[in-house]
Amino acid sequence: MSMSHLYGAEDGVELERFEVSEWDLHNEFNPHRARHRPSKEEATYGVWAERDSDEERPSFGGKRSRDYSAPVNFISAGLKKAAAEDGSEEDSEEDERPPKQEEAPKEFVPKKLKTGGNFKPSQKGFVGGTKSFMDFGSWERHTKGIGQKLLQKMGYVPGKGLGKNAQGIINPIEAKQRKGKGAVGAYGSERTSQSLQDFPVVDSEEEAEEEFQKELSQWRKDPNGGKKKPKYSYKTVEELKAKGRINKQLSAPQKELSQVKVIDMTGREQKVYYSYSQISHKHNIPDDSPQQPLGKDAKPQGFALPELEHNLQLLIDITEQEIIQSDRQLQYERDMVVNLTHEIQKMSEVLSHEETAISNLSKVLDMVEECERRMQPNCENPLTLDECAKIFETLQDKYYEEYRMSDRVDLAVAIVYPLMKDYFKNWDPLKDCTYGTEIIAKWKSLLENDQLLSHGGQDLSTDAFHRLMWEIWMPYVRNIVAQWQPRNCGSMVDFLDSWVHVVPVWILDNILDQLIFPRLQKEVENWNPLTDTVPIHSWIHPWLPLMQARLEPLYSPIRNKLANALQKWHPSDSSAKLILQPWKDVFTPGSWEAFMVKNIVPKLGMCLNELIINPHQQHMDAFYWVIDWEGMISVSSLVGLLEKHFFPKWLQVLCSWLSNSPNYEEITKWYLGWKSMFSDQVLAHPSIKDKFNEALDIMNRAVSSSVGGYMQPGARENIAYLTHTERRKDFQYEAMQERREAENMAQRGIGMAASSVPMNFKDLIQTKAEEHNIVFMPVIGKRHEGKQLYTFGRIVIYIDRGVVFVQGEKTWVPTSLQSLIDMAK
């Protein structure tokens, strides 16, 4: 091989060229080039150190003998060809393929390739075959086997791979000897059979070959030898439209930068722009850029017209802008068409609605004018109340919106009120109490507002029905109440009962408070229980369902008048009981008990004091007079009377009778006779039991003490039997009472468990009222500030947000549930 590529000959003298050659570039990027460790002198002096030129570059020493002990030096381009063949190929295909890299002469290849380890050619243990698995780990026979033991402790099984799932390879990695000195993959696949078994991967040789050919064709010249065709880029109209939309979206936030002054000094002359958009749209003017000098290898352009290119590019840009502007204008027009379409639809809907409203209002106006015409005095076909109601029903059904928007109060005043006056002009409420209820109920649904109106602060100008009732119906009621006699209450009560569901609540309250109650109060003041033959409860109690708590102020004067009438009363007169008995459930329990203790109990005590107990001839009238009041006075008051005025005399008579050698059979009959005069409720009282047991003890002592005297035969046994029988009856009665109480408690517990938990405060009050046997019910047609009123026993209450309010003398007072129960009892 010639050395002319490294050394030049000048006048027959060979000189070494120090310029960078192809061989130097090839070895600079060759990873297998010869390397050597710097010596001590090189580390100290750097580039000024003396070196052996034989290690750096080829010198004039000529060929050197090959060192076959050096490692294999691979050639990056594949197998090396002969020099003659290389020369012929270079001559024939010089213009067809890129020049091949020149190979360095073998004489200048480094002697030895320095590697990381001391590799010798004689070490061929892993080349050309695999070691047998039988002697794997055989070196442990020279040790204590600690490695094998540690692996077995960690779960290793001999003959299987490592890892949790034995996924490791069993055999060691095998090496395969390459046939020649070619590069990796030059002789086909180098995978062993064991690696294919452990790692079965399919290599696609066809894909690799196609990829290689594709990369190789990039470095080849065109086989036709011609120039490459110019590639043109085309833009469609859709791309330009999309570009215009994107630029519009991006430029929208940059309106603040549209008025910025920009000085452009990139060209030969200074230019001033007034926005950044002008810079982005500026064009290259051919004269602005300086002409570059042509190089040695550069070819002059045969057809160079920069002005024409500039003008063409300018026309293209203008056309693009026109297309973009036209697209924007078209989109704007389309949006405007859609917007106008929606506006037309809306306006058409509004127009149709307005036309419908005008048509309906014209019809309503015609109907109203027809009503006014028929209400004229000289009209042949006058308007009746039923026809007017049908007209209002038509307005409410067919023209509901216009009917609600109109002023119903003025319309009703002008049309309905005169007809209503004419309808009620001959009406007598006490004779025909139901007259007009159906008509008024119909007009209530037509004229009354939907809002709930409480009885306080009514505005008559906003509700036509309330104004109708107050101005037309109410004067007739005032006149009839003024002529009404309170003791003849039946007709008035029937009249108000029939109208209670039609009349507004506040008007009904006004009738009861301002018209009925003053008449009743005046009549109570004039009532005399000693002279009046009609009992007062006959004309007061019928008002209880309607007035209820409103009658409370009348009870105190009634009790005072009854007390005055009872001052000279004697228990033998039974008329007092007939007068007082109807008031027991009307007065509160406390006031009733106080009235009885003050006016009745002392009279009964005097009657018992006058009672004479005579076993031989007994008069029972006084005793009967007292016992008749058992249901009127409380058990404790009656027991107190008996303990104080009856039993002391009765026991004294028994003792005196036993001391005179009596007949014990007569005493036994006398004892049982008196005991049968009392009811079971009185006999169950502990004090009464003690008194009768005391009588038995006295009889037993009398029988047992008379030992030496004369004793009636069988007397002792009869008295003992009587005592035993009475005690057993008492025990049985107590056991029966306890059983009844237990059954009542069990039934009450089952009922409470079966019943659901009270959902609100009203349900809780109702449950407590049932437990304490208290009447809890709503007051019909009675409200306070829109809240329903209830009667809890004889107390009037209403519930507001979980709080009970009790009616006081002037205001409503909040109270607790337990206090309410105590007040009701």
Side-chain angles (χ1 to χ4, degrees):
M1 179 183 287
S2 176
M3 303 282 292
S4 61
H5 66 284
L6 294 177
Y7 303 99
E10 186 176 348
D11 297 335
V13 181
E14 292 184 356
L15 299 177
E16 182 177 2
R17 294 181 180 178
F18 292 97
E19 62 184 6
V20 178
S21 63
E22 294 291 337
W23 188 89
D24 294 329
L25 292 175
H26 175 70
N27 281 275
E28 181 64 28
F29 296 100
N30 185 12
H32 301 291
R33 68 180 183 274
R35 297 176 182 270
H36 67 278
R37 296 179 63 185
S39 63
K40 183 176 181 181
E41 186 174 359
E42 289 176 349
T44 304
Y45 298 102
V47 296
W48 288 279
E50 295 181 359
R51 298 184 182 87
D52 188 2
S53 60
D54 295 339
E55 298 179 359
E56 297 178 1
R57 298 172 63 89
S59 62
F60 301 100
K63 295 183 178 180
R64 296 177 179 267
S65 61
R66 294 173 180 252
D67 187 4
Y68 294 99
S69 64
V72 179
N73 186 19
F74 299 103
I75 299 173
S76 61
L79 298 176
K80 184 177 179 182
K81 297 182 180 180
E85 186 179 354
D86 295 342
S88 62
E89 290 180 358
E90 289 176 0
D91 295 338
S92 62
E93 300 179 0
E94 181 177 0
D95 298 332
E96 297 180 1
R97 60 183 178 84
K100 188 178 180 182
Q101 292 182 356
E102 295 181 358
E103 297 180 358
K106 295 182 179 180
E107 292 81 6
F108 302 102
V109 176
K111 293 181 179 180
K112 186 177 182 181
L113 179 63
K114 294 183 179 181
T115 60
N118 297 326
F119 182 82
K120 294 181 181 181
S122 60
Q123 297 177 354
K124 300 179 180 179
F126 294 96
V127 179
T130 60
K131 297 183 71 177
S132 176
F133 180 74
M134 298 302 296
D135 53 354
F136 174 73
S138 60
W139 49 270
E140 276 203 339
R141 68 171 62 97
H142 306 292
T143 65
K144 295 182 180 181
I146 186 65
Q148 186 75 9
K149 293 178 181 180
L150 291 175
L151 287 174
Q152 290 178 356
K153 286 183 178 180
M154 288 184 285
Y156 171 69
V157 179
K160 295 185 178 181
L162 295 177
K164 181 178 180 181
N165 300 321
Q167 68 270 22
I169 61 175
I170 302 174
N171 298 326
I173 299 175
E174 299 178 354
K176 185 175 181 181
Q177 185 177 6
R178 195 174 299 142
K179 296 178 181 180
K181 298 182 181 181
V184 176
Y187 304 101
S189 176
E190 297 185 2
R191 298 189 62 181
T192 61
S193 60
Q194 185 66 32
S195 66
L196 291 173
Q197 181 181 355
D198 294 337
F199 306 99
V201 179
V202 179
D203 296 333
S204 179
E205 297 180 358
E206 296 179 358
E207 295 180 0
E209 184 66 22
E210 290 178 1
E211 186 178 357
F212 174 73
Q213 294 296 335
K214 183 178 180 182
E215 293 178 355
L216 188 62
S217 64
Q218 295 178 358
W219 299 94
R220 292 180 180 177
K221 293 182 178 179
D222 190 1
N224 298 328
K227 296 183 179 180
K228 294 183 178 180
K229 295 181 180 180
K231 295 183 179 179
Y232 299 98
S233 60
Y234 300 95
K235 290 183 180 180
T236 61
V237 178
E238 299 298 330
E239 292 177 354
L240 288 177
K241 292 179 181 179
K243 179 181 178 182
R245 297 189 188 99
I246 295 173
N247 292 337
K248 183 178 180 181
Q249 294 177 358
L250 294 177
S251 60
Q254 299 177 355
K255 292 182 179 179
E256 298 180 357
L257 304 178
S258 60
Q259 302 297 330
V260 178
K261 182 179 180 180
V262 181
I263 301 175
D264 184 12
M265 303 181 67
T266 58
R268 290 183 298 177
E269 296 180 358
Q270 174 180 333
K271 295 183 179 181
V272 179
Y273 301 99
Y274 292 96
S275 64
Y276 288 109
S277 61
Q278 295 181 4
I279 298 178
S280 62
H281 291 91
K282 75 174 184 176
H283 305 282
N284 288 328
I285 300 175
D287 296 338
D288 288 352
S289 60
Q291 296 181 357
Q292 299 294 336
L294 298 175
K296 295 180 181 180
D297 298 335
K299 296 180 180 181
Q301 296 182 358
F303 186 77
L305 294 175
E307 292 82 0
L308 181 59
E309 293 178 359
H310 170 70
N311 292 337
L312 291 175
Q313 185 65 35
L314 187 60
L315 290 174
I316 291 171
D317 294 341
I318 293 173
T319 306
E320 290 180 357
Q321 293 298 322
E322 290 179 354
I323 293 172
I324 293 173
Q325 289 297 119
S326 299
D327 177 65
R328 291 179 180 174
Q329 186 66 25
L330 179 61
Q331 187 65 32
Y332 173 76
E333 296 295 339
R334 289 176 179 174
D335 295 340
M336 184 61 69
V337 169
V338 174
N339 189 14
L340 291 177
T341 304
H342 288 296
E343 289 293 333
I344 290 172
Q345 293 178 357
K346 290 182 180 179
M347 295 305 296
S348 62
E349 292 176 359
V350 172
L351 182 60
S352 63
H353 180 72
E354 294 294 336
E355 290 178 353
T356 305
I358 291 172
S359 176
N360 293 338
L361 286 174
S362 63
K363 293 179 182 179
V364 170
L365 184 60
D366 294 339
M367 296 174 67
V368 173
E369 290 177 352
E370 179 66 18
C371 292
E372 290 180 353
R373 185 186 64 80
R374 295 179 62 183
M375 290 186 64
Q376 298 299 327
N378 298 326
C379 181
E380 297 179 356
N381 186 17
L383 184 67
T384 62
L385 194 60
D386 293 336
E387 293 176 350
C388 184
K390 292 180 180 180
I391 293 173
F392 272 81
E393 287 179 358
T394 304
L395 292 175
Q396 191 175 21
D397 295 338
K398 295 184 179 181
Y399 311 105
Y400 181 77
E401 294 296 333
E402 292 77 7
Y403 178 73
R404 287 298 178 186
M405 290 189 301
S406 64
D407 193 355
R408 289 172 291 171
V409 177
D410 296 338
L411 187 63
V413 169
I415 299 176
V416 182
Y417 285 16
L419 299 176
M420 195 68 70
K421 286 183 179 179
D422 186 63
Y423 182 79
F424 284 106
K425 64 181 180 180
N426 297 323
W427 176 48
D428 188 357
L430 297 181
K431 293 181 180 180
D432 190 1
C433 60
T434 59
Y435 178 79
T437 54
E438 296 180 358
I439 295 295
I440 295 297
K442 184 185 296 185
W443 282 105
K444 180 178 182 181
S445 62
L446 294 174
L447 298 178
E448 190 175 22
N449 280 335
D450 296 333
Q451 300 177 352
L452 291 176
L453 299 173
S454 60
H455 64 273
Q458 293 298 326
D459 188 6
L460 296 178
S461 62
T462 59
D463 194 282
F465 176 72
H466 288 213
R467 184 174 176 181
L468 172 69
M469 296 298 294
W470 182 258
E471 295 181 358
I472 305 300
W473 183 82
M474 194 63 182
Y476 294 99
V477 178
R478 292 195 189 97
N479 294 333
I480 202 65
V481 171
Q483 302 173 7
W484 165 66
Q485 294 296 327
R487 299 196 182 191
N488 186 13
C489 63
S491 58
M492 184 62 69
V493 171
D494 294 339
F495 163 69
L496 293 178
D497 284 338
S498 60
W499 284 87
V500 69
H501 300 290
V502 181
V503 179
V505 176
W506 66 276
I507 294 180
L508 181 62
D509 293 342
N510 180 270
I511 293 172
L512 296 177
D513 293 336
Q514 304 297 330
L515 301 178
I516 302 298
F517 182 77
R519 298 296 307 276
L520 292 177
Q521 188 176 19
K522 185 177 180 181
E523 193 66 24
V524 168
E525 292 177 357
N526 297 329
W527 172 67
N528 188 357
L530 297 177
T531 58
D532 290 339
T533 58
V534 179
I536 188 173
H537 65 269
S538 62
W539 49 272
I540 292 293
H541 288 183
W543 291 103
L544 287 174
L546 284 174
M547 303 188 69
Q548 294 187 359
R550 290 186 177 90
L551 297 176
E552 287 287 343
L554 302 179
Y555 297 156
S556 180
I558 290 174
R559 286 194 294 266
N560 293 333
K561 291 192 176 221
L562 290 174
N564 294 331
L566 291 173
Q567 289 182 356
K568 298 180 180 180
W569 170 76
H570 190 268
S572 61
D573 185 5
S574 61
S575 61
K577 182 180 178 182
L578 298 176
I579 295 175
L580 295 178
Q581 189 173 8
W583 294 98
K584 180 182 178 183
D585 296 331
V586 176
F587 296 156
T588 60
S591 60
W592 174 257
E593 183 65 21
F595 178 81
M596 299 303 290
V597 170
K598 181 179 180 182
N599 299 287
I600 302 299
V601 173
K603 302 289 184 178
L604 298 179
M606 293 172 58
C607 186
L608 285 177
N609 284 332
E610 295 175 358
L611 177 64
I612 299 174
I613 300 174
N614 185 3
H616 302 287
Q617 187 179 1
Q618 183 67 54
H619 296 283
M620 300 295 294
D621 294 338
F623 183 80
Y624 290 149
W625 297 338
V626 175
I627 293 299
D628 286 341
W629 287 88
E630 181 180 351
M632 301 290 290
I633 63 177
S634 62
V635 177
S636 59
S637 300
L638 182 58
V639 170
L641 286 174
L642 295 175
E643 286 182 335
K644 184 176 181 181
H645 303 286
F646 174 75
F647 279 105
K649 296 189 294 182
W650 186 76
L651 293 174
Q652 185 179 1
V653 171
L654 177 61
C655 292
S656 61
W657 193 3
L658 290 173
S659 61
N660 296 323
S661 300
N663 186 354
Y664 286 95
E665 291 181 2
E666 294 180 358
I667 292 178
T668 302
K669 292 179 181 179
W670 181 77
Y671 171 84
L672 294 176
W674 276 109
K675 190 173 183 181
S676 63
M677 294 293 177
F678 300 97
S679 64
D680 294 337
Q681 188 177 6
V682 176
L683 291 175
H685 198 276
S687 300
I688 304 299
K689 286 182 181 180
D690 293 340
K691 295 299 180 181
F692 281 105
N693 290 330
E694 184 179 354
L696 290 176
D697 293 338
I698 292 173
M699 287 188 287
N700 285 322
R701 286 198 299 270
V703 172
S704 60
S705 61
S706 58
V707 178
Y710 172 77
M711 176 63 63
Q712 182 180 357
R716 185 175 301 172
E717 289 78 4
N718 291 336
I719 298 300
Y721 177 75
L722 176 63
T723 304
H724 177 71
T725 303
E726 294 298 319
R727 299 285 170 81
R728 185 177 62 184
K729 287 182 180 179
D730 294 341
F731 178 76
Q732 289 176 354
Y733 182 79
E734 292 177 358
M736 184 176 61
Q737 290 294 112
E738 292 178 358
R739 191 181 304 110
R740 288 178 180 176
E741 292 178 359
E743 290 177 358
N744 293 334
M745 292 296 293
Q747 292 179 358
R748 186 179 300 176
I750 294 173
M752 293 178 63
S755 62
S756 59
V757 179
M759 298 300 294
N760 49 33
F761 195 62
K762 177 186 172 183
D763 295 341
L764 179 61
I765 295 176
Q766 187 173 0
T767 304
K768 293 294 183 182
E770 292 175 357
E771 292 179 0
H772 294 85
N773 296 324
I774 300 174
V775 178
F776 176 68
M777 58 182 296
V779 181
I780 299 175
K782 179 67 176 178
R783 291 179 179 273
H784 175 74
E785 296 181 355
K787 307 296 188 303
Q788 178 66 47
L789 296 182
Y790 301 91
T791 56
F792 191 82
R794 293 168 182 81
I795 303 173
V796 180
I797 65 171
Y798 77 91
I799 304 170
D800 186 12
R801 289 176 292 183
V803 180
V804 180
F805 289 85
V806 180
Q807 187 179 24
E809 296 180 358
K810 296 182 179 180
T811 59
W812 294 83
V813 182
T815 184
S816 62
L817 184 57
Q818 187 61 40
S819 301
L820 179 65
I821 295 171
D822 296 339
M823 292 168 61
K825 288 185 176 182

